[in-house]
Amino acid sequence: KTLQIYTDRPHRSNRGKMLGRRAIAALRAHRMSVLSGKPYAPIRQPAKRAALNAPRISGTPVQQHLSAAQSPVSRSYTADSFKKTESPLLTKCPRLKVDKIAFVGAGKMAEAMISGMLSKGIQTPETLVVHDVWEKSCIRIQERFPGVKRAKTLSQLTKDADIVVLAVKPQESHKMLADLSESVHSDEGQMRENAVIVSILAGKPIHWLFEHTQVKRIVRAMPNTPVSIQEGCVVWCPTDEVEEPQLKAVASMFSAIGDHVMVQDERYLDMSTAISGSGPYYLYLTMETMVDAGVHMGLPRAMSERLVKQTLLGSCMYALNSNQSISVLRNDIISPGGTTASAQYTLERGGFRATVYDAIWAAYRRSLELGGENSNVGPGRSQTAVLRTFQFTDDDQEESPGGG
């Protein structure tokens, strides 16, 4: 179908037609919808409101200047336009529910994962068990999610577990892993035959986890804070010993808290830590700065904060729904000699891009340092380090005890 747009605010497009900015945006959105196959839903307005909202030419509604065949149709996006694609691991078969998922640590990440799995029906409360040295954390989770069990010891936690999630702070991991290794290799706390350890410890590589646990089936993951509202992003890397049923179970667990990406190269984990892991901080700092600038200009703080939040939300949704690159979307906003062009000049002159680059590289280097890797990488460094990836040696295969 042809989308016809009429306006009384002229702006010459590349094809020489006289269109307003909103009309050009609507035309571009319509073209993207046609290319992507995502449906539009018509907006039905009362006749009186439609007449009031209609564009006008010299005070007269445009519709009066058009024939019935030329009457424009107003359409909008549906909720389906912003649905994320399903993980390939989950499209091959139904979501895999396991008998027991054990959480070492009952902090915010564990709480977010439990909330997501229960709200989406991936797991039932009696299949989830938590353990934390702080009793209040476990009580808080049990009060929020009735039916979730609490283990008093690590052996009780890991006994017959299908998945053990390490959700403690990195600085607390050394003692925890020593106790965990003792538990999973004892009769009292032995996991199931094909059990998987899922680690969300920042900066701790797979080889370090194996050295401390002697468990071969390991998944290292990097979530971010928006998982608390099930809109997070998780990048995860499994060892070769993790079989397909376990991969599907882990993918199902991560799908409950947002989008997730499985990678085969562990080096991407430290890179994604600097992008998606620390990324919310970069955005919050930018948002805070914009809010303060609005207050400095004279806007009420509540209004300035509302404008900034909605601007970020709308821009992200528009970018997700668009088949254009971010560079194209950015350039579409800039008008020659306009306000955005002036802001662009100031940002570029102040080194905005270089500052963001340096911040992300600094976060990446710190992630390498936390894992004991060479952090002498990036622009201006004397060398480019080749990071160690996880591989078993023949000795590891022979000496490593079973049960995991």
Side-chain angles (χ1 to χ4, degrees):
K1 295 183 180 180
T2 303
L3 178 68
Q4 295 179 325
I5 303 175
Y6 304 88
T7 180
D8 59 339
R9 298 182 64 186
H11 174 77
R12 189 171 297 278
S13 67
N14 294 335
R15 297 182 181 180
K17 297 181 180 180
M18 303 298 287
L19 296 175
R21 290 185 180 280
R22 293 184 179 180
I24 291 176
L27 185 61
R28 185 181 298 113
H30 175 76
R31 183 179 67 236
M32 294 175 185
S33 176
V34 173
L35 293 175
S36 64
K38 296 176 180 177
Y40 269 60
I43 296 178
R44 303 185 183 277
Q45 302 183 68
K48 184 176 180 180
R49 182 181 298 178
L52 292 174
N53 292 338
R56 297 173 176 270
I57 298 178
S58 300
T60 306
V62 174
Q63 281 80 354
Q64 297 182 13
H65 296 268
L66 306 174
S67 64
Q70 293 177 316
S71 298
V73 178
S74 177
R75 297 183 181 274
S76 66
Y77 296 111
T78 65
D80 293 335
S81 301
F82 304 104
K83 284 186 176 179
K84 295 187 285 287
T85 57
E86 190 68 282
S87 166
L89 285 171
L90 301 180
T91 55
K92 294 180 182 179
C93 71
R95 298 182 186 272
L96 184 62
K97 183 179 293 186
V98 297
D99 295 331
K100 182 177 180 180
I101 298 180
F103 289 88
V104 183
K108 293 182 179 179
M109 284 296 178
E111 188 173 358
M113 295 174 72
I114 292 173
S115 175
M117 287 187 287
L118 294 181
S119 63
K120 295 187 178 181
I122 295 176
Q123 294 291 139
T124 54
E126 59 272 10
T127 63
L128 305 176
V129 187
V130 295
H131 170 76
D132 198 298
V133 294
W134 298 98
E135 184 179 351
K136 292 182 179 179
S137 299
C138 295
I139 294 176
R140 186 190 69 251
I141 287 185
Q142 286 184 304
E143 290 177 347
R144 182 181 175 188
F145 310 108
V148 173
K149 301 176 183 178
R150 176 195 168 200
K152 295 183 179 180
T153 64
L154 277 176
S155 297
Q156 184 181 351
L157 178 75
T158 59
K159 180 65 175 177
D160 295 329
D162 297 286
I163 298 175
V164 176
V165 182
L166 308 183
V168 299
K169 296 180 180 179
Q171 55 267 31
E172 302 172 356
S173 59
H174 288 272
K175 186 179 185 309
M176 179 273 295
L177 286 176
D179 296 339
L180 180 69
S181 179
E182 183 179 347
S183 298
V184 298
H185 297 301
S186 66
D187 295 336
E188 294 80 11
Q190 188 174 20
M191 302 183 296
R192 293 199 171 179
E193 182 180 358
N194 295 324
V196 179
I197 288 183
V198 177
S199 170
I200 59 175
L201 304 177
K204 300 301 184 183
I206 292 178
H207 70 81
W208 184 87
L209 294 167
F210 172 72
E211 290 169 1
H212 285 76
T213 63
Q214 294 300 304
V215 175
K216 298 178 184 179
R217 297 178 181 88
I218 297 175
V219 170
R220 181 187 170 194
M222 184 62 230
N224 57 7
T225 53
V227 301
S228 300
I229 58 168
Q230 301 171 20
E231 288 295 340
C233 182
V234 184
V235 181
W236 55 289
C237 176
T239 59
D240 293 337
E241 283 66 27
V242 181
E243 299 175 356
E244 187 171 355
Q246 286 70 45
L247 289 175
K248 292 175 181 177
V250 174
S252 180
M253 181 176 65
F254 287 146
S255 69
I257 53 177
D259 196 10
H260 64 98
V261 181
M262 187 186 78
V263 296
Q264 298 295 339
D265 192 336
E266 189 188 358
R267 290 175 292 185
Y268 290 138
L269 267 295
D270 291 303
M271 298 175 188
S272 62
T273 298
I275 297 293
S276 60
S278 301
Y281 168 80
Y282 314 145
L283 299 179
Y284 294 151
L285 181 61
T286 303
M287 292 170 65
E288 183 183 33
T289 304
M290 293 173 66
V291 170
D292 290 342
V295 173
H296 192 194
M297 289 186 294
L299 289 175
R301 180 167 292 276
M303 179 181 177
S304 181
E305 187 168 331
R306 180 178 177 180
L307 293 176
V308 170
K309 288 179 178 178
Q310 183 59 38
T311 298
L312 183 66
L313 174 64
S315 300
C316 290
M317 293 178 69
Y318 185 59
L320 286 170
N321 193 61
S322 173
N323 61 354
Q324 300 284 350
S325 69
I326 296 178
S327 298
V328 173
L329 298 179
R330 179 181 62 81
N331 286 321
D332 284 347
I333 303 174
I334 302 174
S335 300
T339 57
T340 308
S342 298
Q344 179 193 30
Y345 168 77
T346 303
L347 289 171
E348 298 288 0
R349 187 165 179 253
F352 178 77
R353 287 176 182 265
T355 302
V356 175
Y357 272 46
D358 291 342
I360 293 176
W361 273 104
Y364 174 47
R365 295 188 190 103
R366 182 54 182 160
S367 180
L368 294 176
E369 291 171 357
L370 289 174
E373 301 288 353
N374 185 358
S375 62
N376 192 27
V377 296
R381 299 294 169 134
S382 61
Q383 64 180 4
T384 301
V386 178
L387 305 182
R388 176 169 55 164
T389 55
F390 181 78
Q391 287 183 341
F392 280 118
T393 63
D394 294 337
D395 294 336
D396 292 333
Q397 296 282 6
E398 294 174 1
E399 297 176 5
S400 178

